[in-house]
Amino acid sequence: MRVRSSSSSDHRIRFPWERHGSLLRVLQLGRLRPALAVLLALGFLIVVALRERRSSGVRQTRATLLSVRRAIDEYRADSDGGCPNPLEKAMSYGNFKEIPSDAWGHPLRFVCPGAHAGADYELSSDGPDGEPGGVDRIE
């Protein structure tokens, strides 16, 4: 009579995720797991930083547009509603040394009289991509 030893045969029930080479085993990479976690965290921080950089540029450009708009309004009040053509004429009212640009270094767009009904003038920025009339322009 032959007796089988328990060491020669494995009678354990295996679930599909316990097989050799399964997805969970591959994900349990031992020493690589902390490095992957650090890379994922770093990637997340980079995405957040880029989004915040764009948002701060939009805020800065809106502040610039507001100060230029005040200078244009003061010029128009002093010149009986006339347009400061070119825009440099109104810069002395806002104490600007030169025509301000947006946060990305693009010049501001000034159209007087405005193309829209009821708009005396239009002042805008082309936004981060610098494309005139683009989707990301700031008014």
Side-chain angles (χ1 to χ4, degrees):
M1 177 167 163
R2 234 171 161 189
V3 178
R4 290 185 180 179
S5 69
S6 63
S7 64
S8 65
S9 64
D10 189 12
H11 295 289
R12 204 174 100 179
I13 298 174
R14 292 185 182 260
F15 293 102
W17 55 85
E18 293 180 323
R19 280 188 251 160
H20 180 69
S22 69
L23 180 62
L24 288 179
R25 184 174 290 252
V26 170
L27 292 178
Q28 295 174 356
L29 296 174
R31 293 184 200 171
L32 279 165
R33 217 175 337 168
L36 289 174
V38 168
L39 286 175
L40 284 173
L42 187 61
F44 175 74
L45 289 175
I46 288 172
V47 167
V48 169
L50 290 174
R51 182 176 287 172
E52 181 56 32
R53 183 176 176 188
R54 184 187 184 289
S55 296
S56 67
V58 169
R59 287 190 300 269
Q60 179 184 355
T61 300
R62 284 190 177 143
T64 301
L65 287 172
L66 183 63
S67 60
V68 171
R69 196 172 299 275
R70 285 184 189 141
I72 292 171
D73 289 341
E74 287 179 22
Y75 176 89
R76 289 176 52 93
D78 283 351
S79 62
D80 297 324
C83 289
N85 210 354
L87 187 57
E88 289 90 6
K89 290 182 180 179
M91 294 302 103
S92 63
Y93 288 88
N95 296 324
F96 296 107
K97 293 179 182 171
E98 58 186 33
I99 295 178
S101 58
D102 63 10
W104 302 277
H106 305 121
L108 300 177
R109 294 213 178 265
F110 177 68
V111 177
C112 189
H116 295 45
D120 294 333
Y121 62 89
E122 294 177 12
L123 183 66
S124 65
S125 164
D126 292 334
D129 65 357
E131 294 293 323
V135 178
D136 59 350
R137 78 171 175 263
I138 302 166
E139 297 181 320

